[in-house]
């Protein structure tokens, strides 16, 4: 009983200390540690917000086994940049009901943020944003990928995504004839 | 695994990317559908159109339908669609002498131009410019009312009256065609209900004949159109 009580108190003390800190430590799949503003993490990621509220944040580094260090670094970088930028009314409202909210164009700094990413880093970041429930980051990264597809033929899109074509030649020809207008500028 | 291929293999992420396609460039989505069968299934799947419309709200201008002035049959080009984007309608040959009379929620009503004191022949059809489908309508019995001053016709979503439809994804559903005509003392109104594309003959649900043209009651939408 005594031991249990003591353990409970220690847990309580740890939680209070945790609550007092204004950053959280995240650990990538390859064991690297990253500090991120607690306020920004809770605001931008539904998953991290849930972990912070539920007290399952580990002082020594909360394990995010699905996310590699490069992607996690970008996530943290995005959160910190977001914390330093004044969130516009548009962003606040879009985080309320993201699934049906009309799409908001990325802001200038968000555009620069994704533009500097390598091809692989961009796609890794999309997965990380999806895993962490970071709706705005998902918005910005998916928008960038959509822009990359602009004006590209199905062949070129397959190259971008490394996708195998599973249509038959005849099927493709048939659809292309039906939608001839969509292929004028190939 | 290649990060891009990993994303391309997750349906929900592919949909997130495709939902951000520019709405004023429909070629973008058409090409995406040709990437592979799975992507085609995502783009044409249930709910994609609705979510796309929710995201982008006001639909973009892809072009406009035009017709000659009433009683001046040669005042417009015979082709009824003037594109303002890359999109081109399918099966746009409306049949000689027919023009677009009305258009709502993805359906276009075509027929001969209603004109003062002219024939009551309508040759109505409903056309979907995206799929190219066309349904020929039975000739409404306007000829019963002799010396009609004029007639006109509209195509409506069948759920419009109750405000039950937000029209984000109803273009494949039930629709109504309403034909109204009048002379100086009589107004006639005919409502035809279609149970969707590719169905058999429409159901004629009402045929109203009133002595006062301003008192025709066929629901809010039609009433405001008549007044």
């Amino acid at each position: 009983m005594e031991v249990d009580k003591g353990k409970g108190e220690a847990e309580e003390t740890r939680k209070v200390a945790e609550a007092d800190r204004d950053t959280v430590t995240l650990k990538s799949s390859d064991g690297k540690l990253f500090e991120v503003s607690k306020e920004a993490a809770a605001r931008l990621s539904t998953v991290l917000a849930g972990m912070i509220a539920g007290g399952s944040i580990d002082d020594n580094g909360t394990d995010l086994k699905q996310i590699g260090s490069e992607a996690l670094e970008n996530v943290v970088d995005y959160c910190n940049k977001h914390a330093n930028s004044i969130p516009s009314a548009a962003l606040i409202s879009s985080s309320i009901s993201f699934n049906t909210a009309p799409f908001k164009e990325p802001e200038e700094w968000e555009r620069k943020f994704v533009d500097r990413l390598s091809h692989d880093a961009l796609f890794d970041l999309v997965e990380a944003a999806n895993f962490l429930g970071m709706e705005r980051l998902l918005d910005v990264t998916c928008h960038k990928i959509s822009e990359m597809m602009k004006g590209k033929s199905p062949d070129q899109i397959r190259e971008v995504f490394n996708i195998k074509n599973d249509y038959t030649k005849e099927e493709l020809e048939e659809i292309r004839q039906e939608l001839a207008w969509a292929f004028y500028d190939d | 695994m290649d990060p891009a291929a990993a994303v391309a293999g997750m349906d929900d992420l592919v949909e997130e990317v495709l939902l951000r396609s520019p709405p004023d460039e429909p070629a973008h989505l058409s090409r995406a559908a040709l990437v592979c069968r799975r992507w085609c299934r995502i783009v044409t799947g249930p709910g994609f159109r609705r979510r796309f419309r929710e995201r982008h709200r006001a639909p973009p201008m892809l072009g406009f339908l035009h017709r000659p002035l009433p009683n001046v049959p040669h005042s417009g080009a015979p082709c009824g669609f003037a594109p303002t984007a890359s999109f081109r309608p399918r099966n746009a040959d409306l049949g000689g002498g027919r023009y677009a009379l009305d258009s709502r929620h993805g359906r276009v009503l075509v027929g001969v131009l209603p004109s003062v004191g002219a024939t009551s022949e309508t040759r109505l059809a409903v056309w979907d410019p995206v799929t190219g489908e066309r349904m020929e309508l039975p000739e409404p019995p306007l000829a019963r009312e002799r010396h009609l001053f004029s007639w006109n016709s509209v195509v409506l979503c069948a759920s419009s009256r109750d405000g039950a439809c937000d029209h984000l994804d109803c273009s494949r559903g039930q629709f109504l065609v309403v034909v109204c005509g009048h002379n100086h003392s009589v107004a006639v109104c005919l409502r035809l209900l279609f149970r969707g594309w590719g169905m058999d003959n429409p159901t004629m649900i009402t045929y109203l004949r009133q002595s006062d043209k301003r008192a025709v009651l066929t629901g809010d939408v039609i009433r405001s159109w008549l007044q």
Side-chain angles (χ1 to χ4, degrees):
Chain A
M1 285 291 275
E2 281 299 302
V3 175
D4 276 350
K5 195 181 168 196
K7 197 176 170 189
E9 270 172 9
E11 178 78 1
E12 205 51 45
T13 318
R14 194 187 65 77
K15 273 189 183 171
V16 170
E18 177 77 21
D20 284 348
R21 286 180 59 198
D22 54 7
T23 60
V24 287
T25 309
L26 306 174
K27 194 181 192 178
S28 67
S29 61
D30 44 345
K32 289 196 181 163
L33 298 176
F34 298 91
E35 290 266 315
V36 63
S37 143
K38 185 187 274 182
E39 182 278 324
R43 180 159 48 87
L44 297 170
S45 158
T46 53
V47 171
L48 292 179
M51 291 171 97
I52 291 166
S56 53
I57 287 287
D58 187 340
D59 247 352
N60 300 319
T62 302
D63 264 331
L64 296 173
K65 290 200 171 68
Q66 290 80 355
I67 305 176
S69 56
E70 196 191 351
L72 192 55
E73 188 174 355
N74 283 323
V75 165
V76 168
D77 194 13
Y78 177 81
C79 288
N80 290 336
K81 280 199 166 77
H82 211 288
N84 295 333
S85 79
I86 301 160
S88 70
L91 289 183
I92 291 165
S93 71
S94 80
S95 66
I96 291 168
S97 64
F98 179 80
N99 288 328
T100 55
F103 176 64
K104 301 279 191 315
E105 287 287 315
E107 300 198 356
E108 187 55 33
W109 72 267
E110 288 175 316
R111 216 176 265 279
K112 281 186 187 151
F113 177 82
V114 288
D115 280 351
R116 66 167 181 78
L117 298 173
S118 72
H119 187 268
D120 283 0
L122 173 66
F123 284 94
D124 275 338
L125 189 55
V126 170
E127 264 198 86
N130 187 47
F131 175 74
L132 290 171
M134 298 182 69
E135 292 158 346
R136 180 61 190 171
L137 182 56
L138 192 63
D139 216 356
V140 174
T141 47
C142 286
H143 183 263
K144 171 68 184 172
I145 295 173
S146 176
E147 275 186 342
M148 285 163 56
M149 290 163 58
K150 211 169 174 179
K152 286 196 164 67
S153 69
D155 266 341
Q156 290 167 322
I157 299 173
R158 280 184 214 113
E159 256 174 57
V160 170
F161 286 91
N162 205 356
I163 295 175
K164 203 172 164 292
N165 174 20
D166 56 359
Y167 282 112
T168 65
K169 224 175 174 178
E170 292 74 23
E171 283 171 326
L172 279 182
E173 198 41 47
E174 195 182 321
I175 304 173
R176 282 181 77 100
Q177 278 178 10
E178 281 180 13
L179 297 171
W181 58 268
F183 302 96
Y184 279 159
D185 50 1
D186 269 11
Chain B
M1 191 181 187
D2 174 50
V7 168
M10 295 166 75
D11 283 7
D12 53 343
L13 285 184
V14 173
E15 180 170 315
E16 287 294 338
V17 170
L18 297 180
L19 280 174
R20 286 158 182 86
S21 303
D24 52 351
E25 289 174 42
H28 193 104
L29 276 180
S30 304
R31 290 171 182 166
L34 272 184
V35 166
C36 63
R37 290 175 197 272
R38 204 155 53 80
W39 281 33
C40 182
R41 208 168 52 235
I42 291 168
V43 173
T44 56
F48 184 86
R49 177 201 292 256
R50 164 171 292 276
R51 287 191 286 278
F52 191 79
R53 292 281 307 274
E54 278 171 347
R55 277 311 181 84
H56 298 283
R57 296 290 159 97
M61 175 85 153
L62 298 180
F64 56 90
L65 294 151
H66 58 86
R67 66 186 211 194
L69 295 168
N71 297 317
V72 192
H74 302 295
S75 60
C79 169
F81 186 84
T84 57
S86 60
F87 171 74
R88 297 291 180 280
R90 293 182 66 194
N91 207 4
D93 177 14
L94 307 180
R98 292 209 287 203
Y99 295 90
L101 302 178
D102 187 44
S103 174
R104 272 187 197 81
H105 316 310
R107 305 177 193 94
V108 179
L109 183 69
V110 302
V112 297
L113 286 177
S115 51
V116 176
T119 168
S120 59
E121 185 194 37
T122 60
R123 294 177 55 214
L124 294 174
V126 177
W127 169 51
D128 181 334
V130 176
T131 64
E133 285 166 287
R134 195 162 73 200
M135 272 177 84
E136 296 292 333
L137 274 59
E139 197 62 36
L142 290 177
R144 277 191 220 164
E145 314 301 332
R146 292 191 178 167
H147 312 298
L148 278 181
F149 184 70
S150 181
W151 64 270
N152 211 338
S153 186
V154 292
V155 59
L156 304 160
C157 164
S159 307
S160 285
R161 283 178 68 190
D162 317 319
C165 188
D166 57 12
H167 306 305
L168 292 179
D169 191 24
C170 65
S171 67
R172 307 295 305 163
Q174 292 196 357
F175 56 94
L176 274 172
V177 171
V178 184
V179 187
C180 289
H182 68 92
N183 60 23
H184 292 295
S185 59
V186 173
V188 294
C189 192
L190 177 74
R191 304 203 307 148
L192 299 160
L193 176 70
F194 294 82
R195 305 208 178 276
W197 292 99
M199 297 291 179
D200 289 340
N201 290 333
T203 321
M204 189 192 297
I205 49 176
T206 41
Y207 181 72
L208 306 175
R209 191 178 184 283
Q210 301 281 338
S211 58
D212 177 353
K213 68 185 177 204
R214 296 192 70 88
V216 174
L217 290 173
T218 52
D220 288 347
V221 179
I222 314 302
R223 193 169 58 227
S224 62
W225 170 69
L226 272 176
Q227 282 171 348

